[in-house]
Amino acid sequence: MRRTTRVATAGLGVTSLLALSACGGGDGGGDGGGDAEANAWILTGGGWPAIEEDFNRWNESNEDAQIDVEGIENDSYKGQIRTAVGSGEAPTLIMSWAGGALLEYAEQDAIMDLTGETGDLEERVFESVWQNGQVDGSTYAVPLNDVQPVVMYYNQEVFDEVGLEVPETWAEVEEAIDVFNENDVAPFSLAGGSVWPALMWLQYLTDRHGGEEVFQAVVEGEEGAWDNESILFALETMQDLGENGGYIDTYNSVTADQNEDAQLLADGQAAMLLQGSWVYATINQDFPEFAESGNFGFTSFPTLEDGAGDPSNITGNPANFWSVSADASEEEQQIATDYISENLYNEETVDAMLEAGSLPPLNDIEEEIAETEDAEFLEFSSELVGEANNFQLSWDQAVAPEVAQPLTDNLSQILRGDMTPEEFVEAMNSL
Amino acid sequence: MTETAARSKASGLGHKGPSFLMAVPAVLFFGIFALIPLIGVVVISFMEWNVLGSPTWVGLSNWTAVLFDRPFTWTALSLTLVFVVGSYLFQAPVALLLGVFMAGQQRYRALLAVLYFLPLLFSSVAVGLTFQSLFSPNYGLSAALPFEWLPNDWLANSDLVMWVMIFVVGWCFVPFHGLLYQAGVRQIPASMYEAATIDGAGRLRQFFSITLPQLRYTIITSSTLMLVGSLTYFDLIYVLTGGQPADAVRILPLDMYVTGFASYNLGYASVIAVILVAIGLTLSLLLNVLSGSSKMDSDKAGA
């Protein structure tokens, strides 16, 4: 009797633990064998419904080459896809942000070399975006959606109230911070609670101060690469902005999940917001009054007077990318490569993207852009991307996946003032 | 349960009692879903594995690294302790009082009961998202109420966030334990209270002399569930904080998840998982021993 009770209670503990340790496992099924149905995992929200519709159209017109699509939430996707790829259970089409993960997939021979299998896509896509899918000169991934540069949004009404111009240089930014603080308006909205939006600040400040070579050294794994004066400058500047009223007071509690950072801009509680191009669509959708008021503006990150970086440099996500699983059956791989070479960026999908205010990374679509409702923003981001000297992939995607989490954790400590820039550099170098 | 025990004691094993075959499905499921993964976790704890590629044996190095070279393990352990003890101290008294109240005959009790039990119906994710909005400094409670002292960084302040988590998790689980206590109180024979009333015992005296002792086993059950439960608690904390601020609420289960599925260090994560299993088992056994399970036969004494 006594024993059974004990075992039962102990069992309770064990099962709940294991339920925990088992979570995050993917249920893929890429190598289904006999049935020739390829599959793909996409994300939910944002511009992804347009991609799903594209798959639906493909399935309607290709009876014998069906692709099954499943939408997964962003954060859980990142955990699941890696487990799935690692266990050989990946979907036929593997979505990534290129960068560190793609490099690993290629090194592990988990994905197919697509060189020569991509139809005329290579000529149609922006060179700077296309390159992200290449490893050692071979194409392992192709872009599948819009270019997502990080831009500076602003609320013109707030600037008018205090009689300021939108800052173009860092000196003007500092002046604007003083004026806004005197008028009880937060200069910058920032979703510091989500941490990754703060990474955009770190990226831009580092790049403007030291140029793209600084981070390139980190990606290439150079010894002590984080110990760089430009990275230190960026971290110090961020802490200074946090302490001295640059960011909104509550920035550590603001999260991007429910677009709170964009809401602060739309409400006029903050004058500016540094965020990805997807926020343009968010504002149009969630805060239409602000979007239609004529006060919703966008510009590029300010230049740094003494900075060594090219002011045309931008950061963000060049696009999301499709790779084809090496573990899929030959038939499934064929379906996937057909889809990539014949169907990507077809007319209907490009129209749907443009209509949603997102920019496909394609050459020669100026005419189509000019006809859309959001022509102004699309032309702006097209120019931004087209003229960029360097397009830096978001750091958390660019670094090896094992480094991404410590990077976020340490940046979170910086935002909270729990860590000095020197400690940050030391912690990142020790990885 | 005591009757079954008495019967099996009298008749001996294999006589009259239900056949062992009836336990086969349960044992099978327990083996497939608990034991095999557990063995798997132990095996992986001796391997280096980043999910991609194949795992390699590294002997004890994961263990020495996690236990001795990684100071955060001990931070996570102490955070876990704070969370477990804090949760218990918050949930147990509230659940007990709520359960006792629910079992009574007061007016509007039924209506209130429905309200109290509402949190039981929500999924952790829904609760997490709701509280995230409530705690938002610019649009949530802090902004809505005119109290300046109300902190505006509930989820971002490293000193505050642990207490917020203890509160929110407690909010979710108090109804469940309240339900247990309600059932427990309703089992207590009314005659005991009647006798006590005749003897002139007041409400408070009745509570301490009758209700509390009679609820002994409910308290043990509820405490075991609370302690082991909060030791392994994960989902709501993950949804609410996303694992941030960096280490303020990274209790062991969350640390295990982040290490395994965000930093892709399956070896370390498995070590943490095994540590959790060990602590969970020890805690369960300890509770059983301390609660004097040998005396469980005299449940209905005095009834």
Side-chain angles (χ1 to χ4, degrees), chain B:
Chain B
M1 229 154 103
T2 43
E3 273 180 37
T4 330
R7 201 187 304 149
S8 65
K9 224 180 256 172
S11 57
L13 212 70
H15 283 272
K16 283 185 180 173
S19 158
F20 172 74
L21 280 177
M22 294 176 81
V24 167
V27 172
L28 211 65
F29 275 108
F30 182 71
I32 294 172
F33 293 109
L35 286 181
I36 294 177
L38 178 62
I39 294 166
V41 169
V42 173
V43 171
I44 296 172
S45 77
F46 295 104
M47 294 174 141
E48 192 178 304
W49 190 24
N50 71 353
V51 188
L52 282 184
S54 33
T56 49
W57 289 100
V58 289
L60 282 172
S61 80
N62 284 336
W63 281 88
T64 52
V66 171
L67 290 177
F68 305 112
D69 307 337
R70 184 175 176 268
F72 188 73
T73 308
W74 301 101
T75 316
L77 209 58
S78 54
L79 287 173
T80 313
L81 192 72
V82 172
F83 181 72
V84 170
V85 173
S87 292
Y88 185 76
L89 292 181
F90 171 57
Q91 290 180 28
V94 178
L96 177 64
L97 293 176
L98 202 66
V100 172
F101 170 70
M102 292 304 181
Q105 305 293 334
Q106 297 85 347
R107 291 176 76 189
Y108 307 123
R109 191 189 42 78
L111 178 72
L112 285 172
V114 172
L115 291 179
Y116 290 145
F117 293 143
L118 268 182
L120 261 186
L121 305 175
F122 302 128
S123 81
S124 318
V125 177
V127 172
L129 291 177
T130 309
F131 272 97
Q132 204 168 52
S133 301
L134 275 176
F135 288 135
S136 154
N138 302 297
Y139 301 101
L141 276 179
S142 302
L145 300 173
F147 307 128
E148 292 247 334
W149 47 265
L150 208 63
N152 59 23
D153 50 359
W154 302 91
L155 296 173
N157 185 327
S158 333
D159 301 324
L160 204 61
V161 65
M162 174 61 89
W163 309 111
V164 173
M165 284 308 128
I166 289 174
F167 169 76
V168 178
V169 172
W171 183 84
C172 286
F173 283 98
V174 159
F176 171 72
H177 295 281
L179 207 58
L180 284 183
Y181 284 117
Q182 183 193 33
V185 173
R186 288 197 170 153
Q187 294 285 317
I188 304 172
S191 56
M192 293 177 85
Y193 290 104
E194 285 158 13
T197 314
I198 292 169
D199 288 347
R203 281 236 164 149
L204 213 59
R205 185 63 202 265
Q206 287 185 10
F207 175 76
F208 283 107
S209 300
I210 301 174
T211 313
L212 218 48
Q214 288 292 318
L215 282 177
R216 194 170 55 216
Y217 300 122
T218 315
I219 294 175
I220 294 164
T221 311
S222 156
S223 299
T224 310
L225 289 173
M226 265 181 211
L227 291 172
V228 180
S230 42
L231 182 69
T232 59
Y233 204 64
F234 169 77
D235 45 5
L236 190 53
I237 300 184
Y238 185 69
V239 172
L240 252 181
T241 68
Q244 303 293 343
D247 52 10
V249 276
R250 195 173 288 176
I251 59 172
L252 281 175
L254 188 56
D255 187 36
M256 174 181 81
Y257 177 82
V258 170
T259 311
F261 297 105
S263 300
Y264 306 114
N265 192 334
L266 269 285
Y268 281 21
S270 299
V271 175
I272 300 170
V274 177
I275 295 174
L276 259 174
V277 173
I279 299 175
L281 280 175
T282 317
L283 194 66
S284 303
L285 293 176
L286 211 65
L287 277 167
N288 250 285
V289 174
L290 288 182
S291 61
S293 48
S294 58
K295 292 184 223 129
M296 276 199 182
D297 291 339
S298 56
D299 192 14
K300 292 283 176 186

Side-chain angles (χ1 to χ4, degrees), chain A residues 357-426:
Chain A
S358 41
L359 179 73
L362 302 178
N363 298 311
D364 311 317
I365 53 165
E366 286 84 2
E367 277 175 35
E368 284 99 319
I369 290 179
E371 287 165 13
T372 64
E373 271 181 40
D374 304 297
E376 201 188 341
F377 179 73
L378 290 171
E379 274 162 13
F380 162 73
S381 39
S382 174
E383 211 169 286
L384 204 64
V385 177
E387 290 177 8
N389 159 59
N390 183 61
F391 193 155
Q392 172 60 56
L393 171 62
S394 300
W395 285 8
D396 56 346
Q397 297 300 332
V399 295
E402 292 94 319
V403 180
Q405 184 63 33
L407 175 60
T408 321
D409 286 348
N410 290 327
L411 188 60
S412 159
Q413 308 252 32
I414 285 282
L415 290 175
R416 267 160 247 281
D418 293 344
M419 198 181 229
T420 66
E422 288 77 16
E423 286 167 344
F424 175 96
V425 164
E426 198 182 321

